[in-house]
Amino acid sequence: MRLNDLDERIVHALAEDARRSYADIGAIVGLSAPAVKRRVDRLRAEGAITGFTVRVDPAALGWETEGFIEIYCSRNTSPDAIKQGLARYPEIASASTVTGDADAVVQVFAADMRHFEQVLERIAGEPYVERTKSVLVLSPLLRRYSAEAPPA
Amino acid sequence: MRLNDLDERIVHALAEDARRSYADIGAIVGLSAPAVKRRVDRLRAEGAITGFTVRVDPAALGWETEGFIEIYCSRNTSPDAIKQGLARYPEIASASTVTGDADAVVQVFAADMRHFEQVLERIAGEPYVERTKSVLVLSPLLRRYSAEAPPA
DNA sequence: TTTGAAAAATTAGCTAT
DNA sequence: ATAGCTAATTTTTCAAA
């Protein structure tokens, strides 16, 4: 599935403000409101757009501490084994296997530093994890798209 | 800032579908549409809600290549300067200043490796960037929550 | 908070290109 | 196939009470 330039500009306008009216978006991309709606409907039907969500200040929800944990696994650990192991942690927002020194990078939201440390220790204690290296987020600068898991 | 139960349920309803009407949300939480709007307006004014965005399937948009770019900045670079500089890149999904060796971590979605390389080179050419280190995502394992809407 | 009216947005149907 | 236009319906907004 390929999206054209118009579709991408519509998605970009929605990424900035998902509650913008179709007329507003149309003014930005140069289409009428119904034309924009038709395209958005099509993008949803095709699965390119999977939904609309609210951006929240994590602190307001009590999740003050964000960080990335790099995971170094023991040999012969399959990506699926990592996935199964990490799926149990509600604090994990995203996880990916990566190139470079580490095997996987995990994004974690915790209530506070103590909570973050607990999560870190539990992950470090997983049987397939050899060691970890963590990086704390100081301040979030941009938080634009909300990517969803691809169909498994 | 503490949210009460009603506020949290409104945020939850918006997290599921940010384009829901105020009347719909009211039916869910037990308020009239204007009452819901007043609360949402207040939550935005207070900064608890920072915006509304679209959830996209990166692959469906043709963004097959994902990676993290660690940025090492020259001295005396303010977070705001980084933010301003990076805001112009549509390929950047998120950016944060972090602890550790690097100053910031940027999450990038690109069409392919060539595109990723172009973005990397442009970022590396920014005046405040001294050097970069990039890590490519091999496979996304989990993509659970919006970065700014962690589990509550 | 609720109500009621005005303004705006959404959505469907239709026609044209 | 996809655009614009128009109109019916719904939603939002801003008054009041």
PDB file of all heavy atoms in Angstrom, chain A residues 47-66:
ATOM      1  N   GLY A  47      -6.049   0.571   7.231  1.00  0.00           N
ATOM      2  CA  GLY A  47      -5.185   0.270   8.359  1.00  0.00           C
ATOM      3  C   GLY A  47      -3.994   1.190   8.488  1.00  0.00           C
ATOM      4  O   GLY A  47      -3.172   1.010   9.383  1.00  0.00           O
ATOM      5  N   ALA A  48      -3.884   2.170   7.626  1.00  0.00           N
ATOM      6  CA  ALA A  48      -2.776   3.118   7.739  1.00  0.00           C
ATOM      7  C   ALA A  48      -2.960   3.972   8.989  1.00  0.00           C
ATOM      8  O   ALA A  48      -2.028   4.212   9.746  1.00  0.00           O
ATOM      9  CB  ALA A  48      -2.693   3.998   6.498  1.00  0.00           C
ATOM     10  N   ILE A  49      -4.192   4.423   9.205  1.00  0.00           N
ATOM     11  CA  ILE A  49      -4.551   5.094  10.456  1.00  0.00           C
ATOM     12  C   ILE A  49      -5.251   4.075  11.339  1.00  0.00           C
ATOM     13  O   ILE A  49      -6.240   3.470  10.935  1.00  0.00           O
ATOM     14  CB  ILE A  49      -5.478   6.299  10.196  1.00  0.00           C
ATOM     15  CG1 ILE A  49      -4.710   7.433   9.512  1.00  0.00           C
ATOM     16  CG2 ILE A  49      -6.094   6.795  11.502  1.00  0.00           C
ATOM     17  CD1 ILE A  49      -5.589   8.618   9.136  1.00  0.00           C
ATOM     18  N   THR A  50      -4.715   3.850  12.525  1.00  0.00           N
ATOM     19  CA  THR A  50      -5.313   2.825  13.395  1.00  0.00           C
ATOM     20  C   THR A  50      -6.166   3.439  14.501  1.00  0.00           C
ATOM     21  O   THR A  50      -6.806   2.710  15.249  1.00  0.00           O
ATOM     22  CB  THR A  50      -4.216   1.951  14.036  1.00  0.00           C
ATOM     23  OG1 THR A  50      -3.332   2.791  14.776  1.00  0.00           O
ATOM     24  CG2 THR A  50      -3.430   1.221  12.972  1.00  0.00           C
ATOM     25  N   GLY A  51      -6.168   4.754  14.609  1.00  0.00           N
ATOM     26  CA  GLY A  51      -7.023   5.375  15.615  1.00  0.00           C
ATOM     27  C   GLY A  51      -6.555   6.775  15.961  1.00  0.00           C
ATOM     28  O   GLY A  51      -5.614   7.296  15.354  1.00  0.00           O
ATOM     29  N   PHE A  52      -7.231   7.358  16.906  1.00  0.00           N
ATOM     30  CA  PHE A  52      -6.870   8.700  17.378  1.00  0.00           C
ATOM     31  C   PHE A  52      -6.747   8.652  18.888  1.00  0.00           C
ATOM     32  O   PHE A  52      -7.552   8.004  19.562  1.00  0.00           O
ATOM     33  CB  PHE A  52      -7.941   9.722  16.970  1.00  0.00           C
ATOM     34  CG  PHE A  52      -8.192   9.763  15.503  1.00  0.00           C
ATOM     35  CD1 PHE A  52      -9.229   9.040  14.941  1.00  0.00           C
ATOM     36  CD2 PHE A  52      -7.372  10.499  14.665  1.00  0.00           C
ATOM     37  CE1 PHE A  52      -9.454   9.060  13.578  1.00  0.00           C
ATOM     38  CE2 PHE A  52      -7.588  10.529  13.298  1.00  0.00           C
ATOM     39  CZ  PHE A  52      -8.637   9.805  12.746  1.00  0.00           C
ATOM     40  N   THR A  53      -5.767   9.325  19.414  1.00  0.00           N
ATOM     41  CA  THR A  53      -5.581   9.253  20.858  1.00  0.00           C
ATOM     42  C   THR A  53      -5.196  10.606  21.434  1.00  0.00           C
ATOM     43  O   THR A  53      -4.904  11.540  20.702  1.00  0.00           O
ATOM     44  CB  THR A  53      -4.526   8.184  21.227  1.00  0.00           C
ATOM     45  OG1 THR A  53      -4.588   7.942  22.617  1.00  0.00           O
ATOM     46  CG2 THR A  53      -3.134   8.636  20.846  1.00  0.00           C
ATOM     47  N   VAL A  54      -5.243  10.663  22.748  1.00  0.00           N
ATOM     48  CA  VAL A  54      -4.953  11.910  23.432  1.00  0.00           C
ATOM     49  C   VAL A  54      -3.500  11.892  23.897  1.00  0.00           C
ATOM     50  O   VAL A  54      -2.959  10.842  24.227  1.00  0.00           O
ATOM     51  CB  VAL A  54      -5.919  12.100  24.626  1.00  0.00           C
ATOM     52  CG1 VAL A  54      -5.734  10.997  25.655  1.00  0.00           C
ATOM     53  CG2 VAL A  54      -5.763  13.463  25.268  1.00  0.00           C
ATOM     54  N   ARG A  55      -2.874  13.035  23.831  1.00  0.00           N
ATOM     55  CA  ARG A  55      -1.529  13.169  24.386  1.00  0.00           C
ATOM     56  C   ARG A  55      -1.652  13.703  25.806  1.00  0.00           C
ATOM     57  O   ARG A  55      -2.267  14.747  26.031  1.00  0.00           O
ATOM     58  CB  ARG A  55      -0.699  14.136  23.548  1.00  0.00           C
ATOM     59  CG  ARG A  55       0.071  13.481  22.448  1.00  0.00           C
ATOM     60  CD  ARG A  55       1.203  14.378  22.016  1.00  0.00           C
ATOM     61  NE  ARG A  55       0.679  15.552  21.339  1.00  0.00           N
ATOM     62  CZ  ARG A  55       0.707  15.715  20.032  1.00  0.00           C
ATOM     63  NH1 ARG A  55       1.205  14.792  19.271  1.00  0.00           N
ATOM     64  NH2 ARG A  55       0.222  16.809  19.483  1.00  0.00           N
ATOM     65  N   VAL A  56      -1.067  12.984  26.730  1.00  0.00           N
ATOM     66  CA  VAL A  56      -1.223  13.342  28.138  1.00  0.00           C
ATOM     67  C   VAL A  56       0.138  13.636  28.738  1.00  0.00           C
ATOM     68  O   VAL A  56       1.142  13.065  28.318  1.00  0.00           O
ATOM     69  CB  VAL A  56      -1.889  12.169  28.898  1.00  0.00           C
ATOM     70  CG1 VAL A  56      -1.959  12.458  30.377  1.00  0.00           C
ATOM     71  CG2 VAL A  56      -3.271  11.912  28.344  1.00  0.00           C
ATOM     72  N   ASP A  57       0.173  14.539  29.672  1.00  0.00           N
ATOM     73  CA  ASP A  57       1.386  14.760  30.457  1.00  0.00           C
ATOM     74  C   ASP A  57       1.477  13.615  31.457  1.00  0.00           C
ATOM     75  O   ASP A  57       0.658  13.518  32.362  1.00  0.00           O
ATOM     76  CB  ASP A  57       1.268  16.100  31.175  1.00  0.00           C
ATOM     77  CG  ASP A  57       2.462  16.360  32.075  1.00  0.00           C
ATOM     78  OD1 ASP A  57       3.374  15.513  32.097  1.00  0.00           O
ATOM     79  OD2 ASP A  57       2.474  17.395  32.745  1.00  0.00           O
ATOM     80  N   PRO A  58       2.482  12.730  31.286  1.00  0.00           N
ATOM     81  CA  PRO A  58       2.564  11.554  32.153  1.00  0.00           C
ATOM     82  C   PRO A  58       2.549  11.921  33.633  1.00  0.00           C
ATOM     83  O   PRO A  58       2.015  11.171  34.455  1.00  0.00           O
ATOM     84  CB  PRO A  58       3.894  10.914  31.761  1.00  0.00           C
ATOM     85  CG  PRO A  58       4.183  11.414  30.395  1.00  0.00           C
ATOM     86  CD  PRO A  58       3.592  12.792  30.338  1.00  0.00           C
ATOM     87  N   ALA A  59       3.145  13.056  33.954  1.00  0.00           N
ATOM     88  CA  ALA A  59       3.193  13.472  35.356  1.00  0.00           C
ATOM     89  C   ALA A  59       1.789  13.621  35.921  1.00  0.00           C
ATOM     90  O   ALA A  59       1.527  13.295  37.076  1.00  0.00           O
ATOM     91  CB  ALA A  59       3.964  14.781  35.488  1.00  0.00           C
ATOM     92  N   ALA A  60       0.862  14.084  35.073  1.00  0.00           N
ATOM     93  CA  ALA A  60      -0.507  14.270  35.538  1.00  0.00           C
ATOM     94  C   ALA A  60      -1.154  12.935  35.863  1.00  0.00           C
ATOM     95  O   ALA A  60      -2.074  12.865  36.673  1.00  0.00           O
ATOM     96  CB  ALA A  60      -1.325  15.021  34.488  1.00  0.00           C
ATOM     97  N   LEU A  61      -0.666  11.875  35.224  1.00  0.00           N
ATOM     98  CA  LEU A  61      -1.195  10.543  35.504  1.00  0.00           C
ATOM     99  C   LEU A  61      -0.350   9.815  36.537  1.00  0.00           C
ATOM    100  O   LEU A  61      -0.587   8.662  36.846  1.00  0.00           O
ATOM    101  CB  LEU A  61      -1.261   9.722  34.214  1.00  0.00           C
ATOM    102  CG  LEU A  61      -2.312  10.214  33.211  1.00  0.00           C
ATOM    103  CD1 LEU A  61      -2.211   9.422  31.918  1.00  0.00           C
ATOM    104  CD2 LEU A  61      -3.710  10.078  33.795  1.00  0.00           C
ATOM    105  N   GLY A  62       0.664  10.497  37.037  1.00  0.00           N
ATOM    106  CA  GLY A  62       1.488   9.889  38.071  1.00  0.00           C
ATOM    107  C   GLY A  62       2.640   9.062  37.531  1.00  0.00           C
ATOM    108  O   GLY A  62       3.253   8.293  38.261  1.00  0.00           O
ATOM    109  N   TRP A  63       2.944   9.193  36.225  1.00  0.00           N
ATOM    110  CA  TRP A  63       4.091   8.468  35.668  1.00  0.00           C
ATOM    111  C   TRP A  63       5.175   9.487  35.372  1.00  0.00           C
ATOM    112  O   TRP A  63       5.236  10.052  34.292  1.00  0.00           O
ATOM    113  CB  TRP A  63       3.669   7.684  34.425  1.00  0.00           C
ATOM    114  CG  TRP A  63       2.681   6.624  34.765  1.00  0.00           C
ATOM    115  CD1 TRP A  63       1.344   6.788  34.973  1.00  0.00           C
ATOM    116  CD2 TRP A  63       2.953   5.253  35.019  1.00  0.00           C
ATOM    117  NE1 TRP A  63       0.783   5.587  35.323  1.00  0.00           N
ATOM    118  CE2 TRP A  63       1.729   4.629  35.363  1.00  0.00           C
ATOM    119  CE3 TRP A  63       4.113   4.474  34.986  1.00  0.00           C
ATOM    120  CZ2 TRP A  63       1.638   3.273  35.680  1.00  0.00           C
ATOM    121  CZ3 TRP A  63       4.016   3.117  35.295  1.00  0.00           C
ATOM    122  CH2 TRP A  63       2.790   2.534  35.631  1.00  0.00           C
ATOM    123  N   GLU A  64       6.019   9.708  36.359  1.00  0.00           N
ATOM    124  CA  GLU A  64       6.982  10.807  36.287  1.00  0.00           C
ATOM    125  C   GLU A  64       8.296  10.403  35.628  1.00  0.00           C
ATOM    126  O   GLU A  64       9.027  11.246  35.158  1.00  0.00           O
ATOM    127  CB  GLU A  64       7.293  11.319  37.704  1.00  0.00           C
ATOM    128  CG  GLU A  64       6.062  11.629  38.530  1.00  0.00           C
ATOM    129  CD  GLU A  64       5.725  13.093  38.508  1.00  0.00           C
ATOM    130  OE1 GLU A  64       6.427  13.822  37.794  1.00  0.00           O
ATOM    131  OE2 GLU A  64       4.765  13.498  39.189  1.00  0.00           O
ATOM    132  N   THR A  65       8.602   9.113  35.652  1.00  0.00           N
ATOM    133  CA  THR A  65       9.939   8.684  35.255  1.00  0.00           C
ATOM    134  C   THR A  65       9.898   7.831  33.992  1.00  0.00           C
ATOM    135  O   THR A  65       9.248   6.808  33.953  1.00  0.00           O
ATOM    136  CB  THR A  65      10.595   7.885  36.409  1.00  0.00           C
ATOM    137  OG1 THR A  65      10.563   8.689  37.589  1.00  0.00           O
ATOM    138  CG2 THR A  65      12.022   7.536  36.081  1.00  0.00           C
ATOM    139  N   GLU A  66      10.617   8.318  32.980  1.00  0.00           N
ATOM    140  CA  GLU A  66      10.676   7.612  31.705  1.00  0.00           C
ATOM    141  C   GLU A  66      12.125   7.265  31.405  1.00  0.00           C
ATOM    142  O   GLU A  66      13.030   8.014  31.746  1.00  0.00           O
ATOM    143  CB  GLU A  66      10.114   8.503  30.587  1.00  0.00           C
ATOM    144  CG  GLU A  66      10.181   7.884  29.199  1.00  0.00           C
ATOM    145  CD  GLU A  66       9.763   8.856  28.086  1.00  0.00           C
ATOM    146  OE1 GLU A  66       9.307   9.968  28.409  1.00  0.00           O
ATOM    147  OE2 GLU A  66       9.912   8.496  26.910  1.00  0.00           O
TER     148      GLU A  66
END
